[in-house]
Amino acid sequence: MFVVLLMLAHLMRHISPNSGWKERLEQLLEKYPSVPLMGMGFTENWNAHPVWTGKG
């Protein structure tokens, strides 16, 4: 799942750079901390990934 979300983040940055999609997803994940992120391929510091931050 995480790889798919990285691809979506990359595409959204190019298609709709002013979208709040990433921020809304981060808020959703914060709202439900019991969601097993590691089981979906998220790394420990997933939100620092270069593609996620826009630096990669």
Side-chain angles (χ1 to χ4, degrees), residues 5-22:
L5 294 174
L6 284 178
M7 289 188 289
L8 287 172
H10 174 76
L11 292 172
M12 290 298 289
R13 184 171 43 254
H14 295 283
I15 295 169
S16 184
N18 297 323
S19 169
W21 176 82
K22 284 189 336 181

Side-chain angles (χ1 to χ4, degrees), residues 17-31:
N18 297 323
S19 169
W21 176 82
K22 284 189 336 181
E23 292 78 12
R24 289 193 310 271
L25 178 62
E26 289 173 351
Q27 290 170 358
L28 183 65
L29 294 175
E30 286 175 15
K31 185 176 179 180

